[in-house]
């Protein structure tokens, strides 16, 4: 291998390592941020995580939510009980389902305005940050984040399977 090839390989390795380190730092920072949001709302971290999934992908069955989070169904029952008591979600019969016992978990929008208010500062900061990127750069960032999310989802599923 020529000297320039090895220099390029080292440079690429440093760049990849830097991205991975930045992602770990981002994960930690977002975890701390979400913990503060949850504390203000009197929600446990896992409860807030589940609420966010229902907001983004709901309504969902409790089983689908448990699968998506990798949590045991009994654990999910406790989380949903707390979220329902707090006025964050409601469990409703699935009118379109074949099983009359089936329920869907739906987020209650009026209570979730509180969550949006707490997230407003971060949202504004991201708008300001992203304003410095052109459309092509935003597309690249979006693609990277989607693919990183999918890699994380696959790794989580692998760990959950044992």
């Amino acid at each position: 291998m020529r000297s320039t090839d090895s220099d390029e390989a080292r440079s690429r390795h440093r760049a990849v390592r830097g991205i991975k380190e930045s992602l770990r730092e981002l994960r930690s920072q977002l975890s701390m941020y979400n913990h503060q949001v949850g504390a203000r709302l009197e929600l446990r971290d896992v409860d807030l995580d589940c609420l966010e999934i229902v907001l983004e992908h709901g309504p969902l069955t409790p089983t689908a939510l448990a699968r998506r989070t990798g949590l045991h169904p009994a654990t999910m029952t406790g989380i949903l009980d707390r979220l329902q008591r707090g006025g964050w979600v409601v469990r409703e019969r699935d009118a379109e389902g074949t099983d009359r016992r089936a329920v869907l978990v739906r987020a209650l929008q009026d209570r979730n305005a509180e969550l949006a208010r707490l997230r407003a500062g971060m949202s504004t900061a991201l708008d300001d940050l992203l304003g410095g990127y052109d459309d092509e750069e935003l597309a690249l960032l979006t693609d990277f984040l989607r693919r990183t999310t999918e890699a994380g989802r696959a790794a989580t599923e692998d760990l959950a399977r044992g």
Side-chain angles (χ1 to χ4, degrees):
M1 191 186 294
R2 295 184 337 222
S3 176
T4 57
D5 289 344
S6 63
D7 290 345
E8 288 175 12
R10 278 194 296 276
S11 178
R12 181 173 178 80
H13 178 73
R14 278 192 301 275
V16 168
R17 189 177 62 232
I19 289 169
K20 290 178 179 179
E21 288 172 3
S22 292
L23 285 171
R24 282 190 292 274
E25 290 171 12
L26 174 62
R27 188 217 53 84
S28 294
Q29 187 56 53
L30 290 176
S31 179
M32 290 181 274
Y33 174 74
N34 283 333
H35 180 75
Q36 290 300 315
V37 168
R40 293 273 181 104
L41 299 172
E42 298 179 358
L43 291 174
R44 296 178 185 183
D45 293 355
V46 69
D47 296 357
L48 180 59
D49 291 342
C50 290
L51 175 60
E52 298 235 356
I53 291 169
V54 172
L55 283 166
E56 185 173 343
H57 302 285
L60 295 168
T61 66
T63 301
L65 184 56
R67 261 192 242 116
R68 198 175 267 277
T69 60
L71 296 171
H72 190 277
T75 302
M76 186 56 59
T77 298
I79 291 167
L80 293 175
D81 287 347
R82 289 189 300 272
L83 289 173
Q84 190 164 4
R85 273 194 310 271
W88 295 101
V89 301
V90 64
R91 292 175 178 126
E92 300 174 325
R93 292 276 173 228
D94 182 1
E96 297 177 14
T98 56
D99 183 350
R100 292 182 308 166
R101 297 168 297 169
V103 298
L104 291 173
V105 178
R106 182 177 56 81
L108 295 172
Q109 296 305 317
D110 55 332
R111 182 74 200 266
N112 291 302
E114 266 182 88
L115 180 58
R117 277 193 303 278
L118 286 173
R119 295 224 186 265
M122 181 66 164
S123 181
T124 299
L126 285 172
D127 288 342
D128 292 345
L129 173 69
L130 295 171
Y133 293 93
D134 65 29
D135 291 348
E136 192 173 305
E137 292 169 322
L138 289 173
L140 178 65
L141 289 168
T142 299
D143 178 63
F144 172 75
L145 291 170
R146 280 190 186 135
R147 292 169 69 185
T148 301
T149 299
E150 185 51 42
R153 184 176 293 119
T156 301
E157 289 170 2
D158 286 349
L159 282 174
R161 281 193 292 271

